Amino acid sequence: RELRLFKKSEVLAVAASDVLAERPLMKVSDTLTDIAEVVLDTALNLALQSMSARHGLPLRTDGERATLDAPAFAIVGYGKLGGIEMSYSSDLDIVFLHDVDEQADTDGAKPLSGMAFCTRLAQKVMTLLTTQTLDGRAYEIDTRLRPSGQAGMLVVSLQAFEQYQQKSAWLWEHQALVRARGACGGARVLAAFAQIRQRILTLPRDETVVREEVREMRQKMRDHLGSSKAQREAGFFHLKHDAGGIVDIEFMAQYGVLAWSAANPDLARYSDNVRLLDDLATAGCLSRADADALTDAYLRVRAATHQLALAQASLSVEAVTWHSTRMIVHTLWRRLIDPMAQPLDD
């Protein structure tokens, strides 16, 4: 209950300062992301204390015993959490990773195998965060970005994670990895994840193949999540999912990282769109003018989505009021990803 009250009170304080225009957009998202990380870290620590009191702690893969201060377990944030772009209505896209000996038992009164310990630990974290109370839930949790999605294990080892990313992951999963970063947990596991992420994102890729797969995935998302034909004809534009919206900008940044980071490893340093676009310009992959135009459009749309989230309003807005911003994004989309894209409807 304390987790939920903390989250609600802190988010309310951010919202109040946002409404009073005391905080710029980036500071709002940074603070909302910090709140989410504090809640995640607290939930993990509570779960670890509970599990270790009953079952002890597992062995790491190097044969040393994990400790409460240095657990061989970590939580990776994807999406808005990973991109340091949390909004008022964001859920948490997370993946659980471990570096334990899955077969060796814990050292407590009721020992468990390392794998069973990690699985129960993850389940306990999720319960702490998602249990419905009179104060609501702390957060909605989505773990579908883990290897093999809902069909995969809830918690995966670092070795299995890297092997999956190297041999089995689809390109869209590498796109998701662009926006991933360690959120909380053992420092060694978090550092190992960061190294894996860097290795995967900087793999050599055929630029033409990347462009086509990004284009196809974007079209699928637009067809599934964007405005209907009737809505578009009625003059509505979905700020996130329609052509010229925020996802187009995100996909262009992800395309740049996947297509060009083999030659420019620094492109894979960050997970947030603003710094990704800045690095693409610094590396000469985008012109500074194009990167700045995309960044300005991105921040403008994000600011609007924050305000609509505060008002609990739809992200479908009047298209005509966003025409100039959409044109900037769509023009660059056609130049970078899809020269055959249809002109904007409005």
Side-chain angles (χ1 to χ4, degrees), residues 306-329:
H306 273 223
Q307 297 306 312
L308 291 168
L310 267 179
Q312 297 184 320
S314 169
L315 296 186
S316 289
V317 296
E318 291 185 0
V320 66
T321 62
W322 286 91
H323 182 74
S324 60
T325 300
R326 295 183 70 196
M327 283 299 298
I328 291 169
V329 176

Side-chain angles (χ1 to χ4, degrees), residues 180-286:
R181 66 186 177 85
C184 64
R188 291 170 57 147
V189 183
L190 293 172
F193 165 76
Q195 293 169 358
I196 293 169
R197 176 183 178 274
Q198 184 76 11
R199 286 196 291 270
I200 297 300
L201 294 183
T202 56
L203 289 171
R205 295 178 176 87
D206 185 319
E207 187 175 329
T208 302
V209 172
V210 175
R211 184 185 301 114
E212 182 60 19
E213 291 201 31
V214 167
R215 186 198 66 78
E216 288 182 359
M217 177 54 65
R218 180 68 187 101
Q219 188 60 52
K220 289 178 182 177
M221 286 184 64
R222 193 177 297 142
D223 292 344
H224 182 61
L225 299 169
S227 299
S228 66
K229 182 178 180 182
Q231 289 172 319
R232 294 195 302 272
E233 289 176 348
F236 289 102
F237 160 57
H238 195 285
L239 287 167
K240 183 175 181 180
H241 294 299
D242 284 348
I246 204 166
V247 176
D248 280 1
I249 303 172
E250 293 173 346
F251 270 45
M252 282 188 273
Q254 292 161 19
Y255 163 76
V257 173
L258 296 181
W260 300 320
S261 64
N264 302 278
D266 280 352
L267 295 180
R269 289 186 301 170
Y270 298 120
S271 60
D272 61 287
N273 288 297
V274 171
R275 287 188 293 184
L276 290 175
L277 291 169
D278 181 63
D279 278 353
L280 286 167
T282 299
C285 299
L286 289 180

Side-chain angles (χ1 to χ4, degrees), residues 30 56 64 69 159 178 224 251 288 317 338:
D30 287 352
E64 297 293 321
D69 292 332
Q159 181 181 8
V178 172
H224 182 61
F251 270 45
R288 175 57 64 181
V317 296
D338 187 8

Side-chain angles (χ1 to χ4, degrees), residues 102-144:
E102 296 184 346
Q103 303 305 317
D105 285 346
T106 58
D107 62 348
K110 296 186 176 181
L112 295 172
S113 70
M115 188 68 243
F117 179 91
C118 289
T119 300
R120 291 196 192 180
L121 179 61
Q123 290 169 337
K124 189 173 285 290
V125 169
M126 292 178 65
T127 297
L128 286 169
L129 295 171
T130 62
T131 298
Q132 182 70 45
T133 69
L134 292 175
D135 300 304
R137 294 183 176 90
Y139 287 99
E140 297 287 348
I141 302 296
D142 192 336
T143 61
R144 289 176 293 179

Side-chain angles (χ1 to χ4, degrees), residues 15-82:
S17 65
D18 192 3
V19 170
L20 294 172
E22 293 178 358
R23 295 194 190 188
L25 169 68
M26 300 296 287
K27 290 295 185 182
V28 171
S29 288
D30 287 352
T31 306
L32 292 173
T33 302
D34 288 344
I35 293 168
E37 289 183 1
V38 168
V39 172
L40 264 180
D41 186 55
T42 302
L44 176 56
N45 286 333
L46 289 171
L48 272 169
Q49 291 169 18
S50 173
M51 289 289 295
S52 63
R54 185 177 180 87
H55 304 291
L57 290 163
L59 286 175
R60 298 198 307 255
T61 54
D62 63 4
E64 297 293 321
R65 185 71 60 181
T67 67
L68 289 176
D69 292 332
F73 187 95
I75 300 175
V76 172
Y78 278 71
K80 289 185 177 180
L81 174 63

